[in-house]
Amino acid sequence: MHDPDTPASRRDTGPSARAELLAGIRAELPLLLGVVPFGLMYGLLGLAAGLPAWAVVAMSSIVFGGASQVVFAQLWAAMTPPAVIGTTVAVVNLRHALYSASVAEWLRGLSWRWKLLLAYLLTDEAYAAALVRFRDGPPGAHRHWFLFGTGITLWTGWQLATVAGVMVGAAIPASWSLDFSIALTFIALLVLAVHRRSELVAALVAAAVAVIAQPLPHKLWILAAAAAGILAGLASRALDAPRAVTGAAR
C-alpha cells in the first residue's frame, strides 16, 4: 500500500512506521482481555438467535462492530420488526462516524486507500487506544501506523473469538457469565474516553435512562438511552467552558 509520506514528511523525525505499528499492537493487547469473552458471547448469541454459523462468522468480518452485532442477534432472536432492527443497529453504529470525525485531523493527507482501511478498522477499542497516541504522543508522519496496529490486532482477536464462540461456545458453563464481559468492556472504554464534564453528564444520563426504560418493548431502551445521552451531552457543553478558558490562559 502506498505510504502517504510526502517530501516534507520524510524529513519527519518522529517514530518510524515499524515503531508505531508495534506500539499500536502493544497498546491494544491488554484490551483483548475483554474482547475475547465478548467475541465468545457473540458467537453463542448468534447461534442461539437462529443464525447459521457461517453468517455469525461472516458478520464479524463484514460488519466488524461488536456491540451492533450483539444487538442484531438479540433483536433477531426476539423476532423484532426489520425496521426496528435496522434503526437500532444504525444508531448503535453511529458512534463510529463520531470516532472518524474525531481522528480526521491526524489522518489528513493520507491516501484514500489508507483512509478506507483505517475506517474499516476503527472500532471502540482501537479508537480508545489510538486517541491517546494522537492527542498526547509525539508528532510524526507515521502515526496512522499506530491506529493500524490497534485495529488489526483487535480485528484478529475478534475473528478468532467469534470462531471459537461458534465452535466451542456451547461447552462453556453458563456459570462463567460471559455476557457480563460485554458490559465490563464498554465500562473500561468509557472510563478512558470521559475527559470532559459534558461527557460525564452524557454517560450518567444515558445509564439512568437505560435502566429506567428497560420495560420498553423491542429493546427500545437502547435508542432511548442513546438519544438521552446525546441530548444531555449537548445541553451540558457549557460546563466545559470554564476548563477550556483556564487551559487557554496557561
Side-chain angles (χ1 to χ4, degrees):
M1 177 175 295
H2 172 67
D3 197 282
D5 288 358
T6 63
S9 67
R10 283 195 291 271
R11 296 194 297 269
D12 187 89
T13 57
S16 66
R18 183 174 183 274
E20 293 280 12
L21 174 64
L22 294 178
I25 293 173
R26 287 195 298 270
E28 192 65 29
L29 285 176
L31 297 177
L32 292 184
L33 292 175
V35 171
V36 170
F38 191 168
L40 289 171
M41 192 64 212
Y42 161 68
L44 277 171
L45 284 175
L47 293 179
L51 294 169
W54 66 265
V56 175
V57 176
M59 191 178 294
S60 279
S61 296
I62 298 172
V63 179
F64 189 36
S68 60
Q69 292 176 229
V70 170
V71 169
F72 179 91
Q74 291 176 331
L75 295 179
W76 182 272
M79 302 181 69
T80 304
V84 176
I85 294 179
T87 302
T88 304
V89 170
V91 170
V92 171
N93 278 336
L94 187 61
R95 69 191 187 284
H96 292 107
L98 303 178
Y99 293 164
S100 299
S102 174
V103 301
E105 63 178 294
W106 291 291
L107 304 179
R108 189 178 296 118
L110 293 180
S111 67
W112 64 270
R113 292 180 180 178
W114 264 110
K115 289 180 179 178
L116 284 177
L117 176 61
L118 295 179
Y120 171 69
L121 294 174
L122 188 60
T123 56
D124 302 289
E125 294 82 357
Y127 172 77
L131 184 61
V132 175
R133 162 65 185 94
F134 288 161
R135 188 172 54 198
D136 303 328
H142 305 292
R143 286 179 293 190
H144 55 291
W145 280 96
F146 187 98
L147 177 55
F148 178 75
T150 61
I152 198 63
T153 302
L154 180 71
W155 185 89
T156 304
W158 181 249
Q159 307 307 317
L160 293 176
T162 299
V163 172
V166 170
M167 296 182 67
V168 301
I172 298 175
S175 59
W176 287 16
S177 299
L178 288 181
D179 54 337
F180 192 58
S181 67
I182 299 174
L184 288 178
T185 298
F186 281 97
I187 289 173
L189 295 176
L190 180 65
V191 171
L192 290 174
V194 172
H195 294 280
R196 299 185 179 92
R197 294 172 181 172
S198 61
E199 294 168 347
L200 179 60
V201 171
L204 293 176
V205 170
V209 173
V211 173
I212 295 171
Q214 285 293 314
L216 291 177
H218 304 311
K219 297 187 180 296
L220 289 174
W221 61 268
I222 298 175
L223 290 176
I230 291 172
L231 292 175
L234 291 174
S236 59
R237 291 183 66 182
L239 297 175
D240 300 330
R243 183 177 178 180
V245 171
T246 301
R250 288 176 180 174

